[in-house]
Amino acid sequence: VLRPAQKAEMSQTIYLLRHGRTEANRRRLYCGSTELPLSPEGAAELRRLAERGGYPPIAGLRVITSGLRRTAETLLAIYGPVPFAPEPGFREMDFGDFEGKSYELLRDDPAYQAWITGENEQNRCPHGESGADMTRRVLAAWERVVRDGRDGLIVTHGGPIAAILQALEPERRESRYRLQPDNGHGWRLTLQNGALLQKAPFPEE
């Protein structure tokens, strides 16, 4: 259930921002639970976009990160030192034994082949999560944010952003990968009692 418990009409704006680029993004490695920093290029790109005024003003927003280093560094690069609350529910999917590895390295691994074939969303990475596992914890965290009622900025990851959009717009049936914004980009969501009224990409380049 994605609607808040209150009966009164309630409008809310939430910004979902994907963290800036990392070396794992550049090398196209599976990276979910692994702690790593932004790359120098990723941090510089965020600062460039911020200087152009592409990100929302932070005053009055409840600010949340996934708790991983790359999300905190993204927030710092854009806004400087500001208060925020970590919410582990918004972490990226845990890829278990596949963390830090590329498709090219894994493609002949029987365990990897078993994961990416068949019911891919339900298949769990060895010592990690399935897409369905990730979606459940992300949506539980999302519902807590919506129930809170305040406007907010959530600095998170591509997978969680896609999971939220799939839940808000189930009729679109878009794949998770098509819904993931580029690093340092995201969606401005306008909600009415938890239901999506409008979404718009940011920042504008």
Side-chain angles (χ1 to χ4, degrees):
V1 178
L2 296 176
R3 296 176 182 275
Q6 295 90 338
K7 298 295 184 180
E9 291 295 307
M10 185 176 67
S11 295
Q12 191 175 14
T13 299
I14 298 177
Y15 297 88
L16 297 177
L17 174 63
R18 186 180 180 188
H19 65 80
R21 280 185 297 144
T22 66
E23 183 65 13
N25 293 134
R26 186 188 70 80
R27 296 173 59 194
R28 301 179 67 84
L29 306 179
Y30 287 103
C31 181
S33 62
T34 303
E35 275 285 32
L36 76 173
L38 297 181
S39 67
E41 297 79 11
E45 180 182 29
L46 293 173
R47 290 192 291 268
R48 175 181 64 80
L49 290 169
E51 288 168 1
R52 297 173 69 174
Y55 293 107
I58 205 166
L61 296 180
R62 178 189 182 194
V63 182
I64 297 169
T65 74
S66 74
L68 291 177
R69 178 178 175 181
R70 54 195 184 270
T71 59
E73 289 186 356
T74 295
L75 188 63
L76 182 65
I78 296 170
Y79 295 103
V82 296
F84 67 91
E87 170 48 81
F90 289 119
R91 290 190 175 203
E92 183 58 278
M93 179 173 157
D94 183 347
F95 294 101
D97 292 352
F98 307 141
E99 286 277 334
K101 300 174 183 176
S102 66
Y103 168 79
E104 287 72 23
L105 183 65
L106 291 168
R107 61 186 176 185
D108 296 325
D109 183 335
Y112 179 74
Q113 287 298 325
W115 174 60
I116 63 169
T117 57
E119 292 293 329
N120 178 252
E121 184 68 9
Q122 302 298 326
N123 293 345
R124 185 170 286 116
C125 299
H127 303 107
E129 291 182 296
S130 68
D133 293 333
M134 183 269 289
T135 295
R136 278 190 291 271
R137 66 169 166 76
V138 167
L139 294 185
W142 172 253
E143 182 165 348
R144 291 191 290 272
V145 171
V146 173
R147 285 181 179 275
D148 176 77
R150 286 178 283 175
D151 294 344
L153 168 68
I154 302 171
V155 189
T156 180
H157 309 262
I161 291 175
I164 291 166
L165 292 178
Q166 283 180 323
L168 290 173
E169 299 183 290
E171 71 281 357
R172 295 182 66 91
R173 299 185 181 278
E174 291 188 72
S175 75
R176 177 169 296 164
Y177 298 102
R178 289 177 60 87
L179 290 171
Q180 293 187 21
D182 292 336
N183 292 104
H185 291 69
W187 293 98
R188 178 185 186 271
L189 306 182
T190 304
L191 307 174
Q192 187 75 38
N193 283 11
L196 181 65
L197 293 183
Q198 185 180 32
K199 78 174 191 287
F202 76 95
E204 294 185 6
E205 301 230 25

